[in-house]
Amino acid sequence: MANVVIFTSNTCPYCVAAKDYLQEKGVPFTEKNIQTDKDARKELMSMGHMGVPVLLIDGEEIVGFDKPRIDQLIDK
């Protein structure tokens, strides 16, 4: 099973869609909410991103809710 981390915020509808999609596929993930976790915000910014969702799947970055790319990485 892939190691999945998703950076989210409280007001992001695409974050909710991405989390729902992962749950539907039965993929466990770690959520890092940048609004409630300063370290998560710093980590995201250090990666060069200012927006969410950003998913890390086995170390590969996906910016935004990109279903085909998510499927490609979790179905390896």
Side-chain angles (χ1 to χ4, degrees):
M1 185 68 54
N3 178 28
V4 181
V5 176
I6 180 169
F7 291 87
T8 65
S9 71
N10 296 336
T11 57
C12 167
Y14 294 105
C15 297
V16 173
K19 290 187 299 184
D20 287 349
Y21 186 67
L22 290 170
Q23 287 171 342
E24 286 170 19
K25 303 273 286 178
V27 176
F29 60 89
T30 300
E31 180 177 2
K32 295 189 177 187
N33 187 315
I34 64 167
Q35 279 183 273
T36 59
D37 182 344
K38 289 180 187 175
D39 291 333
R41 183 170 44 248
K42 287 178 188 174
E43 183 180 351
L44 184 69
M45 291 173 70
S46 75
M47 294 164 45
H49 302 295
M50 297 295 287
V52 288
V54 173
L55 292 86
L56 295 175
I57 300 177
D58 289 336
E60 297 236 10
E61 294 179 18
I62 301 175
V63 179
F65 179 39
D66 182 348
K67 271 189 196 180
R69 185 74 177 128
I70 291 169
D71 288 342
Q72 183 180 44
L73 291 176
I74 62 174
D75 292 338
K76 280 186 178 178

